């Protein structure tokens, strides 16, 4: 496999991984009364991150609490479990 095909394959794998997200926002606090300030509820009831490309690092919750936003892989590795999240329940 040449480099171009290899990187294309990685890109496709990344897109497939991202597509697993149901946009419930639970990992960003949507089900709590203190979600991340960057979490945006859309008209269809799903959520998006307002700063997705720059999300990693210190962020603030609506009550002013600071926390580190990290990859969902790392969130799960730290012991978090969201029952309806495909990343927590891979097929
Ligand atoms: S809990 Fe899982 S499905 Fe819901 S927004 Fe977070 S990563 Fe996506
Ligand atoms: S910054 Fe992180 S925790 Fe906040 S909405 Fe974006 S992904 Fe979720």
């Amino acid at each position: 496999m040449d480099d171009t095909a290899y990187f294309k394959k990685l890109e496709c794998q990344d897109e497939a991984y991202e597509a697993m997200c149901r946009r419930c926002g639970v990992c960003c606090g949507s089900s709590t009364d203190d979600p991340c300030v960057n979490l945006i509820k859309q008209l269809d009831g799903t959520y998006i991150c307002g700063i997705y490309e720059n999300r990693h690092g210190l962020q603030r919750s609506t009550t002013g609490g600071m926390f580190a936003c990290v990859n969902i892989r790392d969130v799960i590795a730290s012991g978090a479990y969201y029952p309806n999240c495909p990343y927590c329940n891979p097929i």
Side-chain angles (χ1 to χ4, degrees), residues 28 36 38-39 49 51 55 59 67 69:
C28 306
C36 175
N38 301 306
L39 191 61
C49 172
I51 58 161
R55 67 195 184 283
Q59 303 297 344
F67 66 94
C69 176

Side-chain angles (χ1 to χ4, degrees), residues 20-28 47 72 82 84-88:
M20 289 169 60
C21 178
R22 292 183 176 142
R23 314 283 180 231
C24 68
V26 170
C27 58
C28 306
Y47 291 83
I72 189 69
Y82 310 114
N84 298 315
C85 176
Y87 302 110
C88 293

